[in-house]
């Protein structure tokens, strides 16, 4: 009996240590606070899905990226607006102004690279919106979970980028990258912190997208 009790205590102790270690490592992996932006005017572009890597201001598109349902885009725009209102004390020039300026054309530059052309486009959009900085959100992949809160066949997945562009200086200031597929706790103990913060359940793609937006707010110093 004593041996069995000892073994049980040892297993429980090792499990507890593993969980504490996992929580600690998860905490260390939290997004870093970026330097706060000065009191400047900031615009918010609407979400778009880049079709090819040249559409991105930085990074690369994975192969065979599935098409995002167009109905998801306005939902993400609204969700981002809610996050910005809740997590910052700034005022933003929003999507309504962006819609009027989304087709702003930059001056053509001979021999310009694809990335430079993409940056020039967003600079032109920001200038049309009359803002100092422009947030450019891209949704690369948005896969809804197949299942419910307590169990899934396939978990939700979100891959997104939020770029911060200096429209007056015509340069990319920073980028927040979010690539998350929810994993079962049994598959990765290092995700214990995330598992607890998500209420111990399988979350929706919208919930993951909100995490990515909150990460962007912190990393971009908004």
């Amino acid at each position: 009996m004593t041996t069995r009790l000892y073994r049980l205590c040892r297993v429980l102790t090792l499990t507890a240590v593993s969980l504490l270690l996992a929580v600690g490592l998860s905490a260390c992996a939290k997004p870093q606070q970026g330097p706060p932006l000065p009191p400047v005017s900031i615009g918010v572009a609407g979400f778009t899905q880049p079709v090819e890597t040249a559409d991105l201001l930085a990074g690369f598109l994975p192969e065979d990226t599935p098409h995002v349902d167009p109905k998801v885009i306005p939902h993400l725009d609204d969700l981002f607006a809610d996050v910005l209102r809740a997590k910052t004390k700034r005022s933003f020039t929003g999507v309504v102004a962006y819609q009027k300026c989304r087709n702003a054309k930059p001056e053509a530059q001979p021999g310009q690279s694809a990335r430079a052309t993409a940056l020039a486009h967003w600079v032109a959009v920001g200038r049309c919106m009359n803002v100092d900085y422009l947030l450019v959100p891209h949704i690369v992949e948005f896969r809804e979970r197949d299942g419910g809160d307590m169990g899934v066949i396939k978990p939700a997945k979100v891959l997104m980028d939020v770029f911060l562009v200096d429209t007056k200086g015509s340069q990319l200031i920073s980028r927040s990258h979010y690539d998350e597929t929810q994993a079962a706790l049994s598959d990765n103990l290092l995700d214990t912190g995330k598992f607890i913060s998500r209420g111990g359940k399988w979350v929706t793609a919208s919930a993951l997208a909100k995490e990515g937006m909150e990460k962007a707010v912190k990393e971009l110093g908004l």
Side-chain angles (χ1 to χ4, degrees):
M1 181 65 69
T2 302
T3 301
R4 289 182 180 178
L5 182 60
Y6 169 78
R7 288 177 178 174
L8 177 60
C9 290
R10 187 169 183 270
V11 169
L12 291 175
T13 300
L14 290 174
T15 301
V17 169
S18 297
L19 289 174
L20 288 172
L21 177 61
V23 171
L25 290 174
S26 296
C28 293
K30 288 183 178 180
Q32 298 296 312
Q33 177 68 53
L37 290 178
V40 293
S41 59
I42 305 176
V44 184
F47 268 87
T48 56
Q49 183 181 22
V51 177
E52 54 189 36
T53 294
D55 296 330
L56 289 171
L57 294 172
F60 297 89
L61 288 181
E63 294 183 3
D64 302 321
T65 303
H67 182 68
V68 175
D69 187 338
K71 295 179 182 178
V72 170
I73 302 299
H75 167 65
L76 292 176
D77 290 338
D78 291 341
L79 186 59
F80 198 20
D82 290 342
V83 168
L84 290 173
R85 278 193 294 267
K87 298 296 181 179
T88 76
K89 297 181 180 180
R90 298 177 183 270
S91 59
F92 297 86
T93 301
V95 175
V96 173
Y98 162 70
Q99 293 296 342
K100 297 178 181 179
C101 295
R102 61 186 300 175
N103 294 320
K105 301 293 184 182
E107 294 183 5
Q109 298 292 333
Q112 195 173 51
S113 68
R115 284 283 168 82
T117 300
L119 176 60
H121 164 71
W122 291 114
V123 166
V125 171
R127 290 178 177 176
C128 174
M129 294 172 67
N130 195 30
V131 294
D132 299 315
Y133 289 79
L134 181 66
L135 288 171
V136 181
H138 286 326
I139 183 67
V140 179
E141 186 171 355
F142 186 93
R143 185 185 72 201
E144 192 52 88
R145 69 184 181 189
D146 184 0
D149 290 354
M150 304 311 296
V152 295
I153 299 173
K154 283 187 177 181
K157 174 179 175 59
V158 169
L159 174 55
M160 61 186 286
D161 284 293
V162 181
F163 301 97
L164 183 64
V165 174
D166 177 354
T167 59
K168 291 185 176 181
S170 300
Q171 60 181 326
L172 174 64
I173 299 298
S174 52
R175 170 200 187 196
S176 177
H177 181 69
Y178 181 81
D179 185 356
E180 183 75 11
T181 303
Q182 188 176 9
L185 182 59
S186 58
D187 292 339
N188 189 356
L189 276 178
L190 296 182
D191 278 342
T192 301
K194 292 180 181 178
F195 181 81
I196 294 173
S197 67
R198 292 167 180 165
K201 62 183 181 181
W202 293 96
V203 299
T204 63
S206 292
L208 291 184
K210 184 179 179 182
E211 281 186 8
M213 294 170 187
E214 292 175 347
K215 177 175 180 284
V217 165
K218 188 169 185 178
E219 291 180 340
L220 300 180
L222 301 176

